[in-house]
Amino acid sequence: MSLAEHTGLVGDDRLYFEDVPLDRTFVTSGRTVTEADVVGFAGLSGDWNALHVDAHAAAATSFGGRIAHGLLVLSMASGMTTRLPVLQGLQPSLLGMTGMSCRWPAPTRIGDTLRIELTFVKAEYTASRTRGLVTEQRRAVNQDGVVVLDSEWALLVAARPRDAS
């Protein structure tokens, strides 16, 4: 599917601040959280909490078994959304991330298949009007429709150059 079909825009594939499709939700394909993901993330992050890596200890918790690291799910949400055509179009204009908030309303278990729902919820110019702050909501939803991550991302995005049409 083309960028125009995803966003309703026509023309150049590069998106600027003005092109951000507010109140539109884009959904990634699914990705299953594996044992290798959890163990690899534990090694990378140094977070060997028993809740994530010790089946016996985790079985005795209120979760009844091992769960994925919340930051692993957040990282997956970041990576999975970068493949969406709308974010690929926005990438050349992305100047940085200025903030984030997140919560994990339910656990993610090994074997869960996640999809990420990305919605652009707010866009405001900065004082210079050469860029703007864009707020995105990214939600990770498992195969049962349960939200396991609810996050808000604040991005700084370049405005369309004044000499461009």
Side-chain angles (χ1 to χ4, degrees):
M1 196 173 270
S2 73
L3 186 59
E5 291 169 310
H6 270 289
T7 63
L9 300 171
V10 181
D12 187 357
D13 281 348
R14 180 177 178 162
L15 297 179
Y16 293 94
F17 171 78
E18 295 83 357
D19 303 319
V20 170
L22 288 177
D23 300 321
R24 293 275 316 274
T25 299
F26 303 88
V27 182
T28 69
S29 57
R31 179 166 179 324
T32 301
V33 179
T34 68
E35 168 81 16
D37 293 329
V38 172
V39 173
F41 190 82
L44 177 66
S45 67
D47 181 352
W48 293 96
N49 186 305
L51 190 55
H52 309 303
V53 299
D54 183 330
H56 181 73
T61 70
S62 61
F63 295 110
R66 293 171 57 205
I67 62 171
H69 304 74
L71 293 178
L72 168 59
V73 176
L74 182 66
S75 296
M76 290 173 66
S78 178
M80 290 169 70
T81 56
T82 62
R83 294 192 307 260
L84 289 170
V86 68
L87 280 190
Q88 290 176 349
L90 198 59
Q91 178 63 38
S93 300
L94 186 60
L95 302 173
M97 186 167 76
T98 63
M100 175 192 297
S101 65
C102 54
R103 62 185 194 87
W104 296 267
T108 299
R109 301 181 186 284
I110 295 169
D112 279 355
T113 298
L114 304 180
R115 284 182 172 63
I116 311 305
E117 299 173 350
L118 169 90
T119 305
F120 294 96
V121 296
K122 187 176 178 183
E124 296 178 330
Y125 278 106
T126 61
S128 71
R129 297 191 67 83
T130 61
R131 58 189 70 170
L133 289 170
V134 174
T135 304
E136 301 172 338
Q137 179 185 46
R138 296 186 196 190
R139 300 173 79 196
V141 181
N142 72 15
Q143 68 282 348
D144 298 320
V146 175
V147 175
V148 297
L149 167 72
D150 190 3
S151 61
E152 205 169 82
W153 304 52
L155 306 174
L156 189 62
V157 179
R160 185 174 312 286
R162 291 190 174 117
D163 59 348
S165 53

